Amino acid sequence: MDHAHRSGTADIFPFIHMLERRDNLPATDRSLIRSLPFRIQTFVSGAELVAENSRPGESCMVLKGFAARSQFLRGGDRQITALHIAGDFVDLHAYLLKVMDHSVVAIGACEVGYVPHEAIRRVTQQSHHLARLFWLSTVLDGAIQRTWITCLGRRSAQQHMAHLFCELYLRLEAAGIASQNRFEFPLKQGQFADVLGLSLVHVNKNIQKLRSTRLVDWKDGIVTINDFDGLAELADFDATYLSLRAEPR
């Protein structure tokens, strides 16, 4: 079975924590977010959360685990164009775009909350500030996408890996689900290759090179960054694009 429904209240702490890292979130806005009618589903690794060419009437938020935006070529090759963590509204843009131009799949076990577009319309009409914060969510997706393109085009494979580890740690920390330079990273090497746009052999070689620096360890689905500043220097990492400053939006 690819997915299962679960009753109960959605755990939206990561989403609220992420917003509060970037702006003041009044109690009224938190209440509006909690009023959203989440339809909760769990997925096994590789299951499709959102289908390409579909016209979803809902947008989904990752509640637990990782998900990936994916595009496939005719020959079957895949490029993962984004990784999403708990607290990410994966396809909020579908509310306006209507037709999905890519699929979203679970990376490892994943729990998702689907919210009807009509409910999103209701809360954003009630709070213009919350509407801006939802907009911020999609703007951050665009900023991350631009940086990923730069990594694909101009950074070495080792730098690209290091950059991704720096990014994911700060995003997970901002969502309140990572600390002390350690985080869960459930990707298999083949999935990592689809992120980096490299062959499995090339990925394996560069993972070994990165490990040899002793700046970072990746073992049993856990990444430990031993020297964040050193890893950031190797990656030429600048966190500006993640907009982690708390200021009025």
Side-chain angles (χ1 to χ4, degrees):
M1 189 176 189
D2 286 344
H3 63 271
H5 296 272
R6 179 179 72 77
S7 60
T9 304
D11 180 5
I12 56 173
F13 167 80
F15 180 63
I16 289 178
H17 197 281
M18 178 270 292
L19 293 180
E20 289 180 329
R21 274 292 301 271
R22 295 176 168 96
D23 194 2
N24 178 48
L25 193 65
T28 52
D29 283 352
R30 288 197 298 273
S31 294
L32 283 172
I33 294 170
R34 291 192 177 101
S35 76
L36 290 169
F38 288 94
R39 178 175 63 85
I40 303 171
Q41 287 188 235
T42 57
F43 293 85
V44 299
S45 184
E48 199 170 60
L49 282 59
V50 182
E52 186 176 357
N53 295 318
S54 65
R55 296 181 65 94
E58 304 169 303
S59 288
C60 66
M61 180 190 294
V62 178
L63 303 176
K64 295 178 183 177
F66 279 68
R69 298 185 199 267
S70 300
Q71 289 187 317
F72 289 87
L73 302 180
R74 288 181 182 177
D77 288 338
R78 176 176 71 167
Q79 180 68 44
I80 290 177
T81 61
L83 288 175
H84 286 286
I85 64 171
D88 283 355
F89 238 134
V90 175
D91 61 340
L92 196 56
H93 59 281
Y95 171 50
L96 295 175
L97 292 181
K98 306 305 182 187
V99 179
M100 294 294 289
D101 63 351
H102 61 278
S103 62
V104 181
V105 299
I107 299 289
C110 183
E111 183 173 282
V112 172
Y114 291 90
V115 182
H117 290 162
E118 184 54 43
I120 293 171
R121 181 183 294 110
R122 171 180 57 81
V123 298
T124 54
Q125 286 176 343
Q126 289 179 264
S127 170
H128 292 165
H129 179 245
L130 190 56
R132 291 194 299 275
L133 291 181
F134 279 21
W135 184 14
L136 173 64
S137 175
T138 63
V139 170
L140 286 171
D141 287 345
I144 292 169
Q145 192 88 87
R146 287 190 294 276
T147 303
W148 276 40
I149 290 170
T150 301
C151 285
L152 281 167
R154 295 299 178 186
R155 287 186 171 91
S156 69
Q158 190 176 351
Q159 284 181 307
H160 193 171
M161 291 177 182
H163 198 282
L164 184 63
F165 288 148
C166 289
E167 175 192 299
L168 283 175
Y169 176 70
L170 291 184
R171 287 170 61 192
L172 288 159
E173 184 187 46
I177 48 180
S179 62
Q180 299 181 327
N181 286 352
R182 298 179 77 250
F183 62 93
E184 292 185 15
F185 187 65
L187 275 74
K188 306 299 184 186
Q189 285 195 20
Q191 295 167 326
F192 205 18
D194 289 340
V195 170
L196 301 169
L198 300 171
S199 70
L200 193 56
V201 171
H202 199 183
V203 167
N204 186 265
K205 286 181 179 178
N206 279 278
I207 287 173
Q208 299 310 318
K209 286 181 182 178
L210 188 57
R211 281 177 173 150
S212 71
T213 68
R214 299 187 178 180
L215 296 171
V216 62
D217 293 317
W218 175 22
K219 185 178 180 181
D220 298 329
I222 300 292
V223 169
T224 302
I225 300 175
N226 301 314
D227 179 354
F228 188 92
D229 290 341
L231 193 66
E233 183 176 358
L234 171 64
D236 190 23
F237 179 81
D238 179 349
T240 301
Y241 71 104
L242 296 177
S243 296
L244 292 169
R245 302 172 305 280
E247 54 187 284
R249 305 284 178 176

